[in-house]
Structures are given as C-alpha cells and as structure tokens.
Coordinates of all heavy atoms in Angstrom, one line a residue:
V2 N 14.4 -17.1 9.7 CA 14.8 -16.1 8.7 C 13.9 -16.2 7.4 O 13.5 -15.2 6.9 CB 16.3 -16.3 8.3 CG1 16.7 -15.5 7.1 CG2 17.2 -16.1 9.4
A3 N 13.6 -17.4 7.0 CA 12.8 -17.6 5.8 C 11.4 -17.1 6.1 O 10.8 -16.4 5.3 CB 12.7 -19.1 5.4
L4 N 10.8 -17.4 7.3 CA 9.5 -16.8 7.7 C 9.5 -15.3 7.7 O 8.5 -14.7 7.3 CB 9.1 -17.4 9.0 CG 8.6 -18.9 9.0 CD1 8.4 -19.4 10.4 CD2 7.4 -19.1 8.2
Q5 N 10.6 -14.8 8.3 CA 10.6 -13.3 8.4 C 10.7 -12.7 7.1 O 10.0 -11.7 6.8 CB 11.9 -12.9 9.3 CG 11.9 -11.5 9.7 CD 13.0 -11.2 10.6 OE1 13.6 -12.1 11.2 NE2 13.4 -9.9 10.8
R6 N 11.5 -13.2 6.2 CA 11.7 -12.6 4.8 C 10.4 -12.7 4.1 O 10.0 -11.8 3.4 CB 12.8 -13.3 4.1 CG 14.2 -13.1 4.7 CD 14.6 -11.7 4.7 NE 15.9 -11.5 5.3 CZ 16.1 -11.2 6.6 NH1 15.0 -11.0 7.4 NH2 17.3 -11.0 7.1
A7 N 9.7 -13.9 4.2 CA 8.4 -14.0 3.5 C 7.4 -13.1 4.0 O 6.6 -12.4 3.3 CB 7.9 -15.5 3.6
G8 N 7.4 -12.9 5.4 CA 6.4 -12.0 6.0 C 6.7 -10.5 5.5 O 5.8 -9.8 5.3
E9 N 8.0 -10.2 5.5 CA 8.3 -8.8 5.0 C 7.9 -8.6 3.6 O 7.5 -7.5 3.2 CB 9.8 -8.6 5.2 CG 10.3 -8.5 6.6 CD 11.8 -8.4 6.8 OE1 12.5 -8.6 5.8 OE2 12.2 -8.1 7.9
A10 N 8.1 -9.6 2.7 CA 7.6 -9.5 1.3 C 6.1 -9.2 1.2 O 5.7 -8.4 0.5 CB 8.1 -10.7 0.5
L11 N 5.4 -10.0 2.0 CA 3.9 -9.8 2.0 C 3.5 -8.5 2.6 O 2.6 -7.8 2.0 CB 3.3 -10.9 2.8 CG 3.3 -12.4 2.2 CD1 2.8 -13.4 3.2 CD2 2.6 -12.4 0.9
L12 N 4.2 -8.1 3.6 CA 3.9 -6.8 4.2 C 4.2 -5.6 3.3 O 3.4 -4.7 3.1 CB 4.7 -6.6 5.5 CG 4.5 -5.2 6.2 CD1 3.1 -5.0 6.7 CD2 5.4 -5.2 7.5
G13 N 5.4 -5.7 2.6 CA 5.7 -4.7 1.6 C 4.7 -4.7 0.5 O 4.4 -3.6 0.0
A14 N 4.3 -5.8 0.0 CA 3.3 -5.8 -1.1 C 2.0 -5.2 -0.6 O 1.4 -4.4 -1.4 CB 3.0 -7.3 -1.5
A15 N 1.5 -5.5 0.6 CA 0.3 -4.9 1.1 C 0.4 -3.4 1.3 O -0.5 -2.6 0.9 CB -0.1 -5.5 2.5
V16 N 1.6 -2.9 1.8 CA 1.8 -1.5 1.9 C 1.8 -0.8 0.6 O 1.2 0.3 0.4 CB 3.1 -1.2 2.7 CG1 3.4 0.3 2.6 CG2 3.0 -1.7 4.1
A17 N 2.5 -1.4 -0.4 CA 2.5 -0.8 -1.7 C 1.2 -0.8 -2.4 O 0.8 0.2 -3.0 CB 3.5 -1.7 -2.6
A18 N 0.4 -1.8 -2.2 CA -1.0 -1.8 -2.8 C -1.8 -0.7 -2.2 O -2.6 0.0 -2.9 CB -1.7 -3.2 -2.5
N19 N -1.7 -0.5 -0.9 CA -2.5 0.6 -0.2 C -2.0 1.9 -0.6 O -2.8 2.9 -0.8 CB -2.4 0.4 1.3 CG -3.4 -0.6 1.9 OD1 -4.6 -0.3 2.1 ND2 -2.9 -1.8 2.1
L20 N -0.7 2.1 -0.8 CA -0.2 3.4 -1.3 C -0.7 3.7 -2.6 O -1.1 4.9 -2.9 CB 1.4 3.3 -1.3 CG 2.1 3.4 0.0 CD1 3.6 3.2 -0.3 CD2 1.8 4.7 0.7
I21 N -0.8 2.7 -3.5 CA -1.2 3.0 -4.9 C -2.7 3.4 -4.8 O -3.1 4.3 -5.5 CB -1.0 1.7 -5.7 CG1 0.5 1.5 -5.9 CG2 -1.7 1.8 -7.1 CD1 0.8 0.2 -6.6
V22 N -3.5 2.6 -4.1 CA -5.0 2.9 -4.0 C -5.2 4.3 -3.4 O -6.0 5.1 -4.0 CB -5.7 1.9 -3.2 CG1 -7.1 2.3 -2.9 CG2 -5.7 0.5 -3.8
V23 N -4.5 4.7 -2.3 CA -4.7 6.0 -1.7 C -4.2 7.1 -2.7 O -4.8 8.1 -2.8 CB -4.0 6.0 -0.4 CG1 -4.1 7.5 0.2 CG2 -4.6 5.1 0.6
G24 N -3.0 6.8 -3.3 CA -2.5 7.8 -4.2 C -3.4 8.1 -5.4 O -3.6 9.2 -5.8
I25 N -3.9 7.0 -6.0 CA -4.8 7.2 -7.1 C -6.0 7.9 -6.7 O -6.6 8.8 -7.4 CB -5.1 5.8 -7.7 CG1 -3.9 5.2 -8.4 CG2 -6.2 5.9 -8.7 CD1 -4.1 3.8 -8.9
S26 N -6.6 7.6 -5.5 CA -7.8 8.2 -5.1 C -7.6 9.7 -4.9 O -8.4 10.5 -5.2 CB -8.3 7.6 -3.7 OG -8.5 6.2 -3.9
L27 N -6.5 10.1 -4.2 CA -6.2 11.5 -4.0 C -6.0 12.2 -5.4 O -6.4 13.3 -5.5 CB -5.0 11.6 -3.1 CG -5.2 11.3 -1.7 CD1 -3.8 11.3 -0.9 CD2 -6.1 12.3 -1.0
G28 N -5.3 11.6 -6.3 CA -5.0 12.2 -7.6 C -6.3 12.3 -8.4 O -6.4 13.3 -9.1
A29 N -7.2 11.4 -8.2 CA -8.5 11.5 -9.0 C -9.4 12.5 -8.5 O -10.0 13.2 -9.2 CB -9.1 10.1 -9.0
Y30 N -9.6 12.6 -7.1 CA -10.6 13.4 -6.5 C -10.0 14.7 -5.9 O -10.8 15.6 -5.5 CB -11.4 12.6 -5.5 CG -12.3 11.6 -6.2 CD1 -11.8 10.3 -6.2 CD2 -13.5 11.9 -6.8 CE1 -12.6 9.3 -6.8 CE2 -14.3 10.9 -7.4 CZ -13.8 9.6 -7.4 OH -14.6 8.6 -8.0
G31 N -8.7 14.8 -5.7 CA -8.2 16.0 -5.2 C -8.6 16.3 -3.8 O -8.7 15.5 -2.9
T32 N -9.0 17.6 -3.6 CA -9.4 18.1 -2.2 C -10.6 17.4 -1.7 O -10.7 17.2 -0.5 CB -9.6 19.6 -2.2 OG1 -10.6 19.9 -3.2 CG2 -8.3 20.3 -2.5
R33 N -11.5 16.9 -2.6 CA -12.6 16.2 -2.1 C -12.2 14.9 -1.3 O -12.8 14.5 -0.3 CB -13.5 15.8 -3.3 CG -14.9 15.2 -2.9 CD -15.7 14.9 -4.1 NE -17.0 14.4 -3.8 CZ -17.9 13.9 -4.6 NH1 -17.6 13.9 -5.9 NH2 -19.1 13.5 -4.2
M34 N -11.2 14.2 -1.8 CA -10.7 13.0 -1.2 C -9.9 13.4 0.1 O -10.0 12.6 1.1 CB -9.8 12.2 -2.1 CG -9.4 10.8 -1.6 SD -10.9 9.8 -1.5 CE -10.2 8.5 -0.4

C-alpha cells in the first residue's frame, strides 16, 4: 500500500508537470504549437 501510494504521488506529479508544460506551450504559441 505504501509503495502504491508513493508511486501514485510521483505519477500524479509527473502528469501535472507535463500538463503545465504543454498547456503553457499551447497558450504561448497558439495554433503554431
């Protein structure tokens, strides 16, 4: 359970980081991105 929860936290953080990068990129460059 502890390993699973820790893994989920890391996975959630990685997904959130990628969402932010992709979202900022799309917002900055629009249709070009």
Side-chain angles (χ1 to χ4, degrees):
V2 172
L4 286 174
Q5 190 173 344
R6 296 296 179 267
E9 289 176 348
L11 291 174
L12 178 61
V16 171
N19 278 278
L20 284 178
I21 292 172
V22 171
V23 174
I25 291 176
S26 301
L27 288 173
Y30 292 99
T32 55
R33 188 180 184 186
M34 190 65 198

